[in-house]
Amino acid sequence: MKIIWRVSQYLFRYPLLFALVQVMAIGMTLLLIGVPMVTKSIIAGVEQSGTTDNLLRGVLGIVGLYLGSEVLNGLRIVFNNTLEQRVLFDMRRDLHQKLLILPISFYDQRKSGEISSRVIEDVMAVERALLDGTEIGGRALVMIIGVTIVLFTINPLLAFFVFIPVPSLIIIGIYYSKGSRKVWKRVRESAGDLNSLLVEDIQGNRLIQTFALQRREGQRFDEKAELLRFRTLRAMFRWAAYSPGTSFVTNLGTVAVIGIGGWMILQGDSGFGFPDMVAFLMYVAMLYTPLGQLHGINHLVAAGKASGERVFEILDAPVEVESPANPKPFPTDPLHVQFNNVAFQYPERPEVLKEFNLDLLRGKVTALVGHTGAGKSTVANLAMRTYDVTRGSVTINGTDIREFDLEDVHGNIGHVAQDPFLFEGTVRENMLLAKQDASDDEIVAALEGASAWDFVNKLPEVLETNIGEKGIRLSQGEKQRLTIARVLLKNPTFVILDEATASVDTITERLIQEALENLTADRTVLVIAHRLSTVRKADQIVCMQDGEIIEKGTHDELLSQDGHYAKLWSYQNDLIPENVEL
């Protein structure tokens, strides 16, 4: 019930629309309830008078009832669909907004396709259960109450037999609900897994083709699709037993009415005649139809509750990194970043940093070098506050970074990653992410500073060229220079370069290195590198191993010490291997 109540809050945002849907549904139902009574009066009039004097009037009355009912039904559909789309929009917007502020650790533990499945498919299932359940359920309840009153008014004894199957239907419904939620949750999980595989195959299509992995991926798809098919059929088989079973039980009630009602007519009971029998049977059909709809809603709610749990798992996920209630103003002068006795560990993993102390000097370049797993990227993540420290503190100009608004922190940091990310759209649109009101001259100046204007100027439509999803129409080096230009346009006071030249050739690296020199001028800079040639000019080189600093100094100072850094430098191609005997 908790899930249903929470989902219902979305309906209550639009009380007028919700009320209009219910009023239209109730109105059309009440009009339909009048049809058997008019039918009864027509038959009784013909039977008593032997003429058709009132037949036309009665038929026109029935037409009027049906017409009025369908007019209200049309209005109900309009209001219901308007409400439906607003609820869908609100739920998806809330999910998307939550996804934008969730910590990196949330995404580390989940597949992107599975998350998108929750936003699209699970929200749709929840909405269907919510709106169809309330609208159809409300109409069914009105029909059941109205018809029940009429049935007991016509003949209480016969009405009693109509309701004999109801306790059985309730017991069957409760039994079905208990198992169906778990079954449908497994269906939604399998759908999410299949969606994740599809996203992965689309993103990795080049690798699949170059490694001839089509057969392997086809087998993986078949396995996940088969599991989804099996779980869906299992859920539907439960419905296949439940729905016919409830229909059979309700049909027994109809049989009882025909048998007992027919016997009462044959006995010549003056209180119950053929017109009453016709009206009674019509009302019985009207009663059992909404009962069947309630069973269908039971099916929808079972699926909706399973999807609701998946939706609220995201909405209830804790935001581990938040802005303070009363943030301090972010400094406008050059930044001095300090790590003070910092310890950090990722969930369910040993500590990555231990009593870590480091000064990123104001307006200077600090480079971190070391083997994979030494903790370099973790230092960068803590400096950007994508994670919070486990112990100790990270300060900016003497103030704990946790005391600043997150938007201020991120707005003053420029980050260039090893794997550049560009949005689908034009070059201009991607540049304007850094500064929305930037002029063409500012954009071109940033591109020139990043050694990117030469290739951008040769594109078919220059700044208006669509670069495709993730910049697929550009080379790796072009994408990297475009991301550097974007950071230049942003003009941050603190820049983090995370292996920005690791995946390009030496010629492209030289162009990027020139761009980086422009980017790092007069800024506080943190550089993470495997290629030592890219950090020779750094004001401070910090050599890390197992989350600790083992050496620190300039390039020449570290070489003269003939220690860890010097041995790394001695390796050919400036490239630090994964495992080195030191």
Side-chain angles (χ1 to χ4, degrees):
M1 288 301 294
K2 183 181 178 182
I3 294 292
I4 296 173
W5 173 250
R6 292 188 64 184
V7 171
S8 299
Q9 303 305 306
Y10 284 93
L11 282 180
F12 300 152
R13 295 181 183 182
Y14 306 99
L16 179 60
L17 267 178
F18 180 66
L20 285 172
V21 170
Q22 299 306 315
V23 168
M24 296 301 113
I26 292 171
M28 63 176 287
T29 301
L30 292 175
L31 289 176
L32 289 175
I33 290 175
V35 172
M37 295 302 294
V38 177
T39 304
K40 174 187 171 182
S41 66
I42 292 173
I43 295 174
V46 172
E47 187 179 60
Q48 291 172 8
S49 64
T51 65
T52 59
D53 293 343
N54 295 321
L55 181 59
L56 179 59
R57 186 184 304 166
V59 170
L60 289 176
I62 293 174
V63 170
L65 290 172
Y66 278 131
L67 178 61
S69 176
E70 293 309 320
V71 168
L72 292 178
N73 189 35
L75 293 172
R76 177 194 64 81
I77 292 171
V78 171
F79 294 139
N80 190 57
N81 278 277
T82 303
L83 178 60
E84 173 184 312
Q85 292 306 313
R86 289 188 181 182
V87 169
L88 279 173
F89 175 81
D90 286 352
M91 292 185 71
R92 286 178 178 148
R93 181 185 58 190
D94 288 352
L95 274 173
H96 184 251
Q97 289 178 344
K98 185 61 180 281
L99 288 170
L100 292 178
I101 63 172
L102 282 172
I104 302 298
S105 58
F106 177 86
Y107 296 95
D108 290 343
Q109 301 168 22
R110 291 166 178 82
K111 302 173 184 177
S112 57
E114 195 267 343
I115 294 174
S116 66
S117 176
R118 298 190 188 203
V119 176
I120 303 300
E121 297 177 11
D122 284 317
V123 166
M124 184 71 78
V126 170
E127 175 273 332
R128 192 178 297 117
L130 176 65
L131 284 178
D132 289 354
T134 54
E135 189 267 328
I136 296 175
R139 186 152 43 99
L141 288 174
V142 171
M143 181 71 81
I144 291 170
I145 294 170
V147 169
T148 299
I149 294 171
V150 175
L151 286 177
F152 276 95
T153 301
I154 295 174
N155 193 298
L157 177 62
L158 197 56
F160 171 76
F161 285 98
V162 171
F163 285 90
I164 285 179
V166 172
S168 300
L169 295 175
I170 294 173
I171 293 171
I172 295 171
I174 293 173
Y175 174 77
Y176 176 80
S177 297
K178 285 184 177 179
S180 290
R181 184 180 60 82
K182 293 180 180 179
V183 171
W184 279 108
K185 187 174 182 180
R186 294 190 190 103
V187 171
R188 301 308 317 143
E189 289 171 350
S190 293
D193 288 343
L194 183 62
N195 198 48
S196 296
L197 176 62
L198 285 172
V199 171
E200 191 174 57
D201 283 350
I202 291 169
Q203 293 177 343
N205 67 89
R206 293 190 178 186
L207 179 68
I208 291 170
Q209 293 186 31
T210 54
F211 278 75
L213 299 175
Q214 290 90 340
R215 182 175 297 177
R216 172 185 177 272
E217 291 306 299
Q219 290 175 347
R220 291 179 66 204
F221 179 87
D222 289 347
E223 289 172 1
K224 293 187 180 297
E226 173 61 25
L227 182 59
L228 176 59
R229 184 192 69 84
F230 170 76
R231 288 180 170 177
T232 302
L233 285 178
R234 184 178 179 186
M236 296 311 298
F237 287 160
R238 287 178 60 84
W239 174 246
Y242 173 69
S243 180
T246 54
S247 295
F248 176 72
V249 173
T250 55
N251 288 335
L252 291 179
T254 303
V255 172
V257 169
I258 294 172
I260 298 171
W263 179 81
M264 293 172 69
I265 292 173
L266 290 175
Q267 293 299 310
D269 188 336
S270 59
F272 189 83
F274 180 71
D276 298 298
M277 182 66 170
V278 172
F280 211 92
L281 285 173
M282 292 179 71
Y283 279 123
V284 168
M286 283 186 172
L287 176 69
Y288 288 151
T289 297
L291 283 174
Q293 290 174 338
L294 290 179
H295 294 309
I297 291 172
N298 197 12
H299 175 72
L300 278 177
V301 169
K305 286 174 68 176
S307 292
E309 289 179 359
R310 287 163 51 83
V311 168
F312 286 110
E313 183 182 342
I314 293 178
L315 291 176
D316 293 338
V319 179
E320 297 167 1
V321 179
E322 293 186 280
S323 296
N326 298 299
K328 293 185 176 180
F330 198 84
T332 56
D333 50 326
L335 303 185
H336 177 205
V337 182
Q338 290 179 291
F339 289 75
N340 307 302
N341 297 318
V342 168
F344 178 78
Q345 67 179 115
Y346 295 101
E348 301 177 1
R349 291 172 58 184
E351 276 192 339
V352 180
L353 299 180
K354 309 161 188 175
E355 304 304 318
F356 185 81
N357 291 279
L358 176 65
D359 275 6
L360 306 183
L361 302 175
R362 184 181 280 109
K364 302 295 183 180
V365 177
T366 299
L368 301 181
V369 299
H371 300 298
T372 299
K376 305 183 299 296
S377 293
T378 299
V379 172
N381 283 327
L382 295 176
M384 293 186 290
R385 208 190 162 205
T386 50
Y387 294 94
D388 274 336
V389 298
T390 305
R391 296 190 307 276
S393 66
V394 177
T395 62
I396 296 178
N397 290 5
T399 302
D400 194 310
I401 193 172
R402 289 169 290 194
E403 296 184 33
F404 297 120
D405 188 271
L406 269 177
E407 286 192 14
D408 288 342
V409 173
H410 296 156
N412 285 276
I413 296 177
H415 180 228
V416 180
Q418 175 182 352
D419 185 17
F421 186 89
L422 297 168
F423 285 96
E424 196 280 333
T426 66
V427 173
R428 182 193 303 279
E429 288 169 346
N430 273 276
M431 291 294 292
L432 291 178
L433 294 174
K435 186 179 179 183
Q436 293 183 1
D437 58 350
S439 65
D440 282 1
D441 289 341
E442 289 176 308
I443 293 174
V444 171
L447 290 168
E448 288 175 340
S451 302
W453 176 242
D454 286 344
F455 83 80
V456 170
N457 196 34
K458 295 176 183 177
L459 294 175
E461 298 177 58
V462 195
L463 291 176
E464 305 305 327
T465 302
N466 190 299
I467 58 177
E469 185 179 12
K470 294 185 179 180
I472 191 68
R473 295 169 190 163
L474 303 177
S475 70
Q476 184 72 10
E478 289 171 340
K479 288 191 287 186
Q480 192 65 285
R481 280 179 280 166
L482 203 55
T483 59
I484 293 171
R486 192 165 59 191
V487 175
L488 275 171
L489 184 61
K490 184 179 181 181
N491 194 27
T493 52
F494 180 31
V495 173
I496 297 175
L497 307 175
D498 193 350
E499 301 188 42
T501 64
S503 56
V504 297
D505 58 77
T506 53
I507 296 176
T508 303
E509 179 188 351
R510 188 174 298 114
L511 291 171
I512 293 176
Q513 199 62 41
E514 292 174 1
L516 292 177
E517 289 178 5
N518 292 329
L519 178 61
T520 57
D522 302 320
R523 292 182 173 90
T524 303
V525 180
L526 175 64
V527 180
I528 298 172
H530 272 125
R531 290 183 178 177
L532 300 187
S533 60
T534 62
V535 299
R536 290 181 61 179
K537 298 179 181 179
D539 300 292
Q540 176 182 225
I541 298 174
V542 177
C543 195
M544 293 184 63
Q545 187 174 40
D546 297 328
E548 298 178 345
I549 296 174
I550 55 175
E551 289 178 354
K552 183 164 60 174
T554 64
H555 173 74
D556 292 336
E557 289 171 348
L558 292 176
L559 286 183
S560 66
Q561 293 177 15
D562 195 27
H564 190 109
Y565 179 84
K567 291 182 179 179
L568 293 177
W569 178 259
S570 68
Y571 279 88
Q572 296 295 317
N573 301 322
D574 314 326
L575 193 62
I576 303 175
E578 291 298 314
N579 295 291
V580 180
E581 290 267 332
L582 295 174

